[in-house]
Amino acid sequence: MAWLGVLYIGSLVLLFITAFWSTDPFTSKVIPGFTLENFREILTVPAYQQTALRTVGIALAVTALCALLALPLGLYMAKIASPRMRAVLAIGITLPLWAGYLVKVFSWRITFMTGGPLDWLLTPLGLNGPGYGTAALVVTLSYLWFPYMAVPVYAAFRQIPDNLFDASADLGAKGWTTVRTVALPLLKPAFIAGSIFTFSLSLGDYIAAQFVGGTTQVIGTVIASNINLNPPLAAAFATVPVVVVVAYLFLARKSGALQQL
């Protein structure tokens, strides 16, 4: 309770208070007070608006990609794979979590670099890799946070009785029709639970953007660039992902899926 109430919530309160302060344009000294100028600037400056929308879009793209990959993988692991293969895949999914964050991000930086492994594989086909940019950032973030989506989806698949699939097959439904009409409604809580992690973690990440994002600006990079020059503006911009995540959690709660976990 002390960790939650003092260190976490307390730091957020201080962040929110600082967002209403200002910075002296001549001395760069932070001036305590109350002003809405920082929030007005975030809401009216097109560059900040585009950065916020781009960051939310990237987080949604990462969540969608992780969900698309987790669905067939979870189905295979839970209903098709042998126990030995299931164990191998479970280790393969969770083992990257033991590696350092920077090690994983830097490995993707090497992969997407000009003349790197991806270009080497695609050159015989007359193609080139995407290089550093938004696409590379989405792939990297999907790799980083995929276990947080794959594990709950796999666990949810394991809880679906096999006789539901058998009954669907007896009624003439094909494989993916069964998945769409029988499994997906039952997997909704797992997808929402996984999306909370993939969405929020992608929304607040900025180190990956610095390594593989190229010129792509996200909320985190803007905050990092202003933390020394204009701390109140950085604090105001930092409230944007907090508000977005709170709204996302509210929508997830309203869907009722979290109550089924």
Side-chain angles (χ1 to χ4, degrees):
M1 291 300 295
W3 172 270
L4 178 65
V6 178
L7 298 180
Y8 181 68
I9 297 180
S11 62
L12 289 179
V13 171
L14 293 176
L15 174 72
F16 189 68
I17 293 174
T18 306
F20 293 98
W21 293 357
S22 60
T23 302
D24 189 292
F26 297 102
T27 64
S28 297
K29 182 180 179 180
V30 176
I31 303 174
F34 181 85
T35 178
L36 296 175
E37 180 63 25
N38 297 319
F39 292 98
R40 187 198 65 79
E41 187 172 352
I42 292 173
L43 295 175
T44 57
V45 175
Y48 292 151
Q49 296 174 357
Q50 295 171 6
T51 299
L53 294 175
R54 183 186 305 113
T55 306
V56 173
I58 290 173
L60 291 174
V62 170
T63 300
L65 181 58
C66 288
L68 289 175
L69 294 175
L71 178 62
L73 178 62
L75 174 61
Y76 177 76
M77 290 179 61
K79 302 301 180 182
I80 301 175
S82 64
R84 182 175 181 180
M85 178 57 68
R86 186 181 302 130
V88 171
L89 290 174
I91 294 174
I93 293 172
T94 57
L95 191 61
L97 294 175
W98 293 80
Y101 173 89
L102 289 177
V103 173
K104 292 183 288 187
V105 173
F106 192 72
S107 68
W108 280 103
R109 177 178 174 83
I110 295 175
T111 300
F112 286 111
M113 68 184 295
T114 302
L118 187 59
D119 280 350
W120 177 74
L121 289 174
L122 295 177
T123 297
L125 303 176
L127 302 173
N128 294 317
Y132 301 141
T134 303
L137 180 58
V138 170
V139 172
T140 301
L141 291 176
S142 299
Y143 166 75
L144 290 172
W145 314 134
F146 177 68
Y148 297 102
M149 178 68 76
V151 171
V153 171
Y154 160 68
F157 259 123
R158 290 278 288 174
Q159 296 175 3
I160 299 177
D162 293 338
N163 57 12
L164 291 182
F165 292 91
D166 296 335
S168 179
D170 292 340
L171 293 173
K174 301 297 184 180
W176 284 110
T177 301
T178 299
V179 171
R180 178 175 56 84
T181 59
V182 177
L184 280 180
L186 299 175
L187 293 173
K188 181 180 177 181
F191 278 117
I192 292 181
S195 70
I196 291 174
F197 289 98
T198 57
F199 181 80
S200 60
L201 291 172
S202 300
L203 194 67
D205 192 285
Y206 77 97
I207 297 179
Q210 292 181 325
F211 273 84
V212 301
T215 59
T216 302
Q217 291 287 316
V218 295
I219 291 176
T221 56
V222 175
I223 295 173
S225 62
N226 283 281
I227 194 66
N228 292 322
L229 298 176
N230 194 342
L233 178 62
F237 212 13
T239 62
V240 174
V242 175
V243 172
V244 172
V245 169
V246 170
Y248 191 83
L249 291 174
F250 176 77
L251 293 176
R253 183 174 180 274
K254 290 289 290 184
S255 69
L258 297 181
Q259 299 176 4
Q260 303 176 31
L261 294 176

